[in-house]
Amino acid sequence: MSKKSFTLSKIATLCAVALSTSAFAEQAKDKDIERVSVYGQHHKNYITEQADSASKLGITIKETPQSISVVSRALMDDFSLDDINAVLESTPGVTVEQIETDRTYFKARGFDITNFQVDGLGIPQDGGDVHGTLDTSIYDRIEIVRGANGIMTGAGTPAATVNMVLKKPTYTTQASASASVGSWNKNRLEVDVSGALTDNHAMRAVVTKQRSDSYLDRYATDLTLGYIAYEGQLTDSTKVSVNYIRQSKDADSPLWGALPLFYDDGTATDFDVSTSTAADWSYWNNDNEHIFVELEQSLGTSWFIRARYAHMTNEQDSELFYVYGTPSAETGLGLTGYASEYDYKDQQNLYDLYATGDFSLFGQTHNLVFGVSSADMNYQDSSLYDYTTGNGFPAMPPLEDFEGNAPIPTLEDAYNGSKVEADQKSAYASARFKITEPLAILAGGRYTEWDSEGLSYGNSKVNSSEEFIPYIGAVYDFAENYTVYASYTETFAPQSEQDQTGMALDPITGESKELGIKAQLLDGQLFATFAIFDALQDGIALPDTALSTPDNTVYYAAEGINSDGYELELSGRLTDDLSASFSYSHVDIEAGDDANEGKLVRDYTPEDQVKVALNYQVPVIEGLSFGANYRWQAKTSRVQSNGTIPTVTTQGAYGLLDLVATYQVTERISATFNVNNVTDEKYLHSLYWAQGYYGAPRHYAFSINWQL
């Protein structure tokens, strides 16, 4: 198939023909599609079973042959998981690599998570990093599909897909508000109001305001978030929804880079947890504006078509201060500052059109979804420096003595930056065939074309690639409450690095295999999953030092990174008063002889993680409950470059314990007291980069919550 022949109009025509010529819809008119299934209502709703991020087939997590975790609104509220970093820190098998105060990477199964969605719409992040933080007050739940999810996301990695599901309008009037105060002058206010405008139209609005200083010297943030959602029933069979999000987060004295991790004699640094390299004049402001529109048309009782559109704009404005070098073990001198002005803007337009429903064949009911999607993206950024006044690269005092008083630079020199455009078009189809009553087969595929052009800091981003990603899975109910499953899929990720001939390297390819069991225990009150996985990425670009020159770096496709391991997750209601969520994950990472980055990934990725959340309602005191949230990870390390002295930075195994107490004062008012990092553990946030900084020490928050 040529690229010219692949157009959205032709694909849409094929989909329409398939729908009109199929007898499926006619056979399914008298069948009600089960859009949401709940197996075992969990106390406190810590884990929600509703999730459609993996297939769009309207099937339950138990019926899906992949590992899926859902972080509910209740868990986010109880433990003040106010941003996506905190949510994913509590998610099985996920590591949060917070390299700076306002930039974070996320990993699962040894690979970067690059697929982030809102209500199932999203595109891969170019580098996988999230700037600023995503506040969670507007989300009903966060769905995490671990492993590759090629049918739903197109380009990506075998890590995971994170889908943030927005709160929806309700036709019954409801309102809530929460005001909290906490350590380091943290003040937060959330207001959430929803209700019907008429019998067929409803709206919801959420407003969040947060201001806070920090345990880090000089760092402070100011966040404002507004969300408006509308839903309308235009006819008996036609529904429309519109969602608007506007978030701004201004950060004063943020970290750009972090602390040096070793001295010139190879010994590890050990600063106070509050130490920061940020200048007192530095700032990093992030503004996001997102619009989502969805039109749903029902066809009979079990088929419907959805057309969805999203427009996303992200802007950054910053003046930053980086510190580099290796300090003297005796004097602390030897570091140099590095000032820069950085501005960024991206725009994304996302389209998705699909049809889904049931059909009957050979005495069984089956599920089918097929559709097309498109995404056009562009971004541009710029950097300026100070090479003329002497203030752009000042010599630094020992960090123990640095109070942010770096000289103010004149950032007008050496303009550089990026201007990149990219386009992704896909067609996909997936079906769940009920072979027998206990056996179902899921099969599908996605064809994707990816094109990009432009320059980024002198490096070409020209790339054109196309891939077909297959998916196959099987689910077998071998007993009333027990299911085994297996799945296989592939991945691809475009890359623009060029070889010695000037041609862009082929996309990074990969595959993901998974085998598992899911069980409903304790009369359906406890849900358990166990999964074994094996994932691979191959063809990763690495510099070809033999053929590169000082003016031109060329690349070659290196041997890949292989990741295998297992994950165990249990969630639900253990007794009438005790609910729990528990997970244990183990990962082994291997790399080819030339994939040095793969060896590094293995070192800074913890092999083992344990995550536990508990909530206990005290039976003798009505309205009183206690909770605990615990995360533990194994030792990690990073081999550092320090001349001829071998240097290894090590973060020992550590655990973080958060506690919460909630008391229902009246029918509508409750009070919550949180203590985070109860044991005051000192730890490095991440060894993802050659620098790092410490996590927050013990801190507190108190909130008053009201609900109509």
Side-chain angles (χ1 to χ4, degrees):
M1 179 184 292
S2 68
K3 291 186 176 63
K4 291 182 179 180
S5 67
F6 182 83
T7 66
L8 283 178
S9 60
K10 291 182 180 179
I11 296 171
T13 301
L14 291 174
C15 291
V17 170
L19 183 60
S20 62
T21 58
S22 173
F24 298 162
E26 290 299 321
Q27 296 174 356
K29 281 184 179 179
D30 296 327
K31 305 286 186 181
D32 288 333
I33 186 169
E34 184 186 14
R35 298 286 297 281
V36 177
S37 294
V38 177
Y39 48 91
Q41 183 65 37
H42 291 174
H43 186 58
K44 288 292 290 182
N45 294 318
Y46 269 10
I47 299 295
T48 305
E49 293 80 10
Q50 179 184 352
D52 211 21
S53 301
S55 67
K56 291 182 179 175
L57 290 170
I59 59 178
T60 66
I61 295 175
K62 185 172 179 287
E63 296 170 321
T64 305
Q66 281 190 260
S67 297
I68 303 175
S69 296
V70 182
V71 179
S72 70
R73 183 72 256 163
L75 184 62
M76 288 186 270
D77 288 340
D78 276 355
F79 294 101
S80 299
L81 307 182
D82 296 330
D83 59 54
I84 195 65
N85 292 13
V87 167
L88 293 181
E89 283 175 346
S90 300
T91 300
V94 175
T95 56
V96 176
E97 306 290 352
Q98 193 160 335
I99 55 172
E100 299 166 335
T101 51
D102 292 79
R103 177 161 39 180
T104 310
Y105 292 83
F106 305 92
K107 299 183 73 69
R109 298 183 175 181
F111 303 96
D112 284 338
I113 299 176
T114 58
N115 284 313
F116 291 86
Q117 301 177 337
V118 177
D119 274 2
L121 274 175
I123 60 169
Q125 305 292 322
D126 187 42
D129 54 325
V130 173
H131 292 189
T133 54
L134 303 176
D135 195 274
T136 58
S137 59
I138 61 175
Y139 301 119
D140 177 70
R141 64 188 184 274
I142 311 293
E143 302 174 356
I144 302 96
V145 181
R146 291 188 296 280
N149 192 18
I151 292 181
M152 295 298 102
T153 58
T157 71
T161 298
V162 178
N163 183 25
M164 296 166 280
V165 181
L166 291 167
K167 291 178 176 177
K168 302 298 189 291
T170 60
Y171 285 87
T172 57
T173 301
Q174 64 179 46
S176 64
S178 175
S180 63
V181 295
S183 301
W184 309 301
N185 299 317
K186 180 179 179 180
N187 297 283
R188 180 179 176 90
L189 175 66
E190 295 180 28
V191 179
D192 183 349
V193 180
S194 182
L197 302 175
T198 68
D199 290 344
N200 296 316
H201 302 272
M203 292 192 70
R204 187 167 191 165
V206 179
V207 176
T208 302
K209 182 66 177 181
Q210 177 178 301
R211 291 179 176 172
S212 180
D213 295 329
S214 172
Y215 69 97
L216 291 172
D217 294 337
R218 300 174 295 284
Y219 183 55
T221 58
D222 186 348
L223 178 141
T224 304
L225 172 64
Y227 169 61
I228 299 176
Y230 160 78
E231 181 180 290
Q233 196 75 34
L234 302 183
T235 70
D236 290 342
S237 60
T238 307
K239 185 172 69 174
V240 65
S241 65
V242 180
N243 302 279
Y244 175 79
I245 305 168
R246 178 64 188 264
Q247 175 180 300
S248 65
K249 182 187 177 185
D250 297 342
D252 293 332
S253 298
L255 284 173
W256 182 38
L259 307 174
L261 298 177
F262 59 88
Y263 292 108
D264 57 3
D265 63 357
T267 59
T269 57
D270 185 18
F271 299 106
D272 187 86
V273 294
S274 64
T275 305
S276 171
T277 59
D280 51 15
W281 48 259
S282 63
Y283 66 91
W284 194 344
N285 299 337
N286 285 269
D287 293 283
N288 306 310
E289 187 173 47
H290 299 169
I291 300 172
F292 301 87
V293 181
E294 179 178 298
L295 182 66
E296 179 182 307
Q297 177 65 52
S298 297
L299 306 174
T301 57
S302 68
W303 276 84
F304 63 89
I305 295 176
R306 276 184 181 158
R308 304 190 297 170
Y309 166 74
H311 176 76
M312 305 181 181
T313 302
N314 305 289
E315 294 187 62
Q316 298 178 41
D317 170 33
S318 65
E319 291 187 359
L320 301 168
F321 190 70
Y322 179 76
V323 172
Y324 66 95
T326 304
S328 166
E330 294 183 0
T331 65
L333 301 175
L335 298 173
T336 302
Y338 174 14
S340 174
E341 176 184 309
Y342 179 73
D343 296 315
Y344 172 91
K345 182 177 182 179
D346 74 48
Q347 295 188 72
Q348 306 166 9
N349 291 291
L350 313 174
Y351 309 87
D352 189 26
L353 173 66
Y354 70 94
T356 185
D358 299 348
F359 65 94
S360 297
L361 191 66
F362 302 124
Q364 296 286 348
T365 299
H366 315 280
N367 314 97
L368 175 67
V369 61
F370 52 90
V372 293
S373 64
S374 174
D376 62 77
M377 305 147 275
N378 66 80
Y379 74 86
Q380 53 186 353
D381 62 6
S382 63
S383 295
L384 288 167
Y385 310 93
D386 180 355
Y387 290 102
T388 57
T389 70
N391 293 338
F393 298 86
M396 294 290 294
L399 289 182
E400 292 86 348
D401 301 330
F402 182 55
E403 297 181 352
N405 53 342
I408 298 176
T410 302
L411 300 170
E412 298 177 346
D413 301 332
Y415 174 88
N416 205 345
S418 307
K419 188 173 184 180
V420 178
E421 296 182 358
D423 183 71
Q424 176 179 279
K425 296 184 177 71
S426 298
Y428 58 88
S430 178
R432 178 179 180 264
F433 299 100
K434 195 74 171 178
I435 307 303
T436 65
E437 190 57 36
L439 176 63
I441 302 294
L442 278 79
R446 185 182 189 102
Y447 177 79
T448 299
E449 285 186 358
W450 178 282
D451 293 284
S452 64
E453 59 184 22
L455 287 173
S456 178
Y457 292 86
N459 298 313
S460 172
K461 302 295 284 187
V462 175
N463 183 29
S464 181
S465 56
E466 55 185 81
E467 290 286 336
F468 175 76
I469 301 298
Y471 178 92
I472 185 73
V475 177
Y476 182 74
D477 298 325
F478 67 91
E480 182 179 0
N481 297 316
Y482 295 86
T483 297
V484 292
Y485 71 89
S487 62
Y488 171 86
T489 189
E490 297 176 0
T491 65
F492 90 103
Q495 52 186 350
S496 55
E497 287 83 358
Q498 297 178 351
D499 63 18
Q500 59 179 327
T501 67
M503 298 294 293
L505 296 179
D506 290 336
I508 302 169
T509 58
E511 59 181 28
S512 180
K513 293 173 280 188
E514 188 170 321
L515 178 68
I517 183 171
K518 301 181 181 183
Q520 293 171 249
L521 307 172
L522 302 181
D523 294 326
Q525 298 300 303
L526 182 68
F527 189 65
T529 64
F530 178 75
I532 301 172
F533 62 86
D534 189 344
L536 171 71
Q537 267 196 323
D538 206 7
I540 301 170
L542 286 180
D544 191 331
T545 55
L547 298 176
S548 296
T549 66
D551 298 324
N552 182 36
T553 302
V554 300
Y555 296 83
Y556 71 100
E559 295 180 37
I561 299 172
N562 179 251
S563 167
D564 62 77
Y566 53 87
E567 298 161 340
L568 171 66
E569 183 177 6
L570 300 95
S571 59
R573 187 175 178 179
L574 300 179
T575 70
D576 290 342
D577 302 310
L578 179 63
S579 296
S581 173
F582 168 84
S583 70
Y584 172 72
S585 59
H586 174 82
V587 60
D588 289 313
I589 299 172
E590 296 182 358
D593 291 339
D594 56 355
N596 295 321
E597 181 63 22
K599 295 182 176 63
L600 188 58
V601 170
R602 178 185 61 204
D603 291 337
Y604 68 69
T605 301
E607 285 190 359
D608 301 283
Q609 294 184 78
V610 175
K611 300 183 180 182
V612 184
L614 300 170
N615 182 274
Y616 179 68
Q617 292 194 341
V618 181
V620 296
I621 305 178
E622 185 178 356
L624 179 64
S625 65
F626 294 101
N629 190 15
Y630 180 72
R631 290 96 61 207
W632 177 90
Q633 71 172 47
K635 180 183 73 173
T636 58
S637 62
R638 183 184 181 98
V639 178
Q640 305 278 31
S641 175
N642 188 27
T644 59
I645 303 174
T647 300
V648 178
T649 299
T650 299
Q651 169 60 64
Y654 68 93
L656 299 176
L657 175 64
D658 301 338
L659 297 178
V660 60
T662 300
Y663 182 66
Q664 196 71 36
V665 182
T666 69
E667 183 181 356
R668 303 192 185 283
I669 297 175
S670 65
T672 301
F673 182 63
N674 294 82
V675 185
N676 294 331
N677 192 3
V678 172
T679 60
D680 205 23
E681 188 79 26
K682 184 178 182 180
Y683 64 99
L684 288 167
H685 263 301
S686 173
L687 295 178
Y688 189 88
W689 279 3
Q691 297 178 326
Y693 74 105
Y694 301 104
R698 185 188 302 115
H699 54 290
Y700 310 87
F702 176 76
S703 63
I704 294 291
N705 316 295
W706 171 84
Q707 189 164 359
L708 181 65

